[in-house]
Amino acid sequence: MMKILELYSGAHYRLTTIEASNPKGAIVTFNHLHSDLHPSVSAQHFASPTARGLFYETGLTEYHIVSNKNDWFQHEEIFSLLEIIKNQNGTGKHITLYGSSMGAFGAVNLSYYLKGKFVAFSPQSTLDQNKPPHDPR
């Protein structure tokens, strides 16, 4: 049975987990860009977790990081969540970071901190406002 636990809820991010019964490792997911989570608008809600419930039955403990703004996981608060994941996952267990779009940027950018591998679908690869011109960041 899938049991979702909230490990952290802060001003910018929320971290939930679904623990595998006999964990072999972990997967960390990051939400993608949402049109209603503009960085300059006051946060009203957190995004939905990416791929929730798809991995725990395969022996991977799931950690889901969701944001309440499209900030590309750049606020320093993210390191509090990563520390929780490091402490919960323990040493010697593999960890994979997973996301698409903004979430893929988070997975690639933060994989070094967790010493993990990443799966990134269509990553946003720049924070420069001049590239692409349609992005108001």
Side-chain angles (χ1 to χ4, degrees), residues 31-104:
N31 64 280
H32 59 277
L33 180 132
H34 287 274
S35 61
D36 62 337
L37 297 178
H38 192 278
S40 64
V41 177
S42 295
Q44 301 297 317
H45 65 282
F46 284 95
S48 298
T50 298
R52 178 183 272 170
L54 293 181
F55 302 102
Y56 77 101
E57 289 183 344
T58 67
L60 296 176
T61 294
E62 298 180 19
Y63 295 98
H64 300 284
I65 296 175
V66 295
S67 62
N68 60 10
K69 291 187 178 186
N70 291 329
D71 67 357
W72 279 257
F73 306 98
Q74 295 297 295
H75 192 275
E76 64 186 21
E77 184 181 337
I78 195 70
F79 294 106
S80 297
L81 282 71
L82 298 177
E83 276 300 310
I84 292 169
I85 294 168
K86 281 171 74 171
N87 292 333
Q88 293 264 328
N89 194 49
T91 57
K93 292 182 183 169
H94 77 273
I95 192 161
T96 302
L97 294 83
Y98 170 90
S100 66
S101 184
M102 181 181 78

Side-chain angles (χ1 to χ4, degrees), residues 33-35 37-41 70 72 124 126-137:
L33 180 132
H34 287 274
S35 61
L37 297 178
H38 192 278
S40 64
V41 177
N70 291 329
W72 279 257
Q124 296 272 333
T126 183
L127 292 176
D128 184 344
Q129 290 185 15
N130 296 320
K131 309 174 197 173
H134 64 275
D135 193 340
R137 288 175 282 183

Side-chain angles (χ1 to χ4, degrees), residues 18-36:
I18 303 170
E19 192 169 325
S21 59
N22 189 12
K24 303 173 202 164
I27 187 156
V28 180
T29 71
F30 298 84
N31 64 280
H32 59 277
L33 180 132
H34 287 274
S35 61
D36 62 337

Side-chain angles (χ1 to χ4, degrees), residues 103-124:
F105 178 86
V108 171
N109 192 41
L110 297 168
S111 62
Y112 77 94
Y113 193 82
L114 292 175
K115 296 180 173 77
K117 297 180 179 184
F118 59 84
V119 176
F121 295 101
S122 302
Q124 296 272 333

